[in-house]
Amino acid sequence: VPAAVSEVFWDLSPDGSRLVYGEFAWGGGDKITIVPLVVGDKLEIPLKNWTNLNSVSWSADGRSLFLTTLRREGSTLLHADLNGGVDVLRDQEGRWVRTPLPSPGGSLLAFALSATDSNVWLIELK
């Protein structure tokens, strides 16, 4: 995939006051940006040692974020504070974690796993 190919991902905060977004790009996509929708300056949050970010969602209380990364061999589900501190929640090989979504009370986190399987068969004709 060429480095110029990118896709924006975003989420609205639970109280509707802020928008968080990032841009996926192979070998890039290592920061997210929070934009206040009423008053204030935007905040860029670099996520040190993490690239290929491809989705983001707010925590139920709006104090942190859930993110996913995309690699050819799998993906990682991350929890990040608004200062750029990151914890790994799940490292998934062979499948891709998609679209984390916290429950309204914040005690549960739903996400999708996707996979692509390919099989090749060799049949000898006689």
Side-chain angles (χ1 to χ4, degrees), residues 120-126:
V120 176
W121 296 81
L122 178 60
I123 300 172
E124 184 177 341
L125 300 174
K126 293 185 179 188

Side-chain angles (χ1 to χ4, degrees), residues 64-79:
S64 60
L65 302 161
F66 297 101
L67 301 118
T68 60
T69 67
L70 181 64
R71 303 182 317 274
R72 286 180 175 84
E73 58 278 342
S75 65
T76 306
L77 175 62
L78 305 170
H79 181 249

Side-chain angles (χ1 to χ4, degrees), residues 14 18 21 25-26 47 51 53 55-57 61 74 79 81 83 87 89 91-92 98 106 108 112 125:
R18 297 171 289 171
Y21 73 90
W26 286 110
L47 298 174
T51 60
L53 299 171
S55 72
V56 64
S57 63
D61 62 9
H79 181 249
D81 62 38
N83 296 316
D87 293 313
L89 298 180
D91 191 38
Q92 185 69 49
R98 305 254 186 211
L108 301 171
L125 300 174

Side-chain angles (χ1 to χ4, degrees), residues 29-109:
D30 58 354
K31 69 178 179 182
I32 52 174
T33 303
I34 297 175
V35 179
L37 298 179
V38 180
V39 173
D41 296 326
K42 73 178 184 178
L43 173 64
E44 287 190 355
I45 303 172
L47 298 174
K48 190 175 181 180
N49 300 321
W50 292 101
T51 60
N52 302 334
L53 299 171
N54 75 325
S55 72
V56 64
S57 63
W58 288 93
S59 63
D61 62 9
R63 294 181 184 169
S64 60
L65 302 161
F66 297 101
L67 301 118
T68 60
T69 67
L70 181 64
R71 303 182 317 274
R72 286 180 175 84
E73 58 278 342
S75 65
T76 306
L77 175 62
L78 305 170
H79 181 249
D81 62 38
L82 301 184
N83 296 316
V86 177
D87 293 313
V88 174
L89 298 180
R90 182 181 181 116
D91 191 38
Q92 185 69 49
E93 296 295 324
R95 294 184 183 180
W96 296 275
V97 180
R98 305 254 186 211
T99 327
L101 183 64
S103 64
S107 61
L108 301 171
L109 181 68

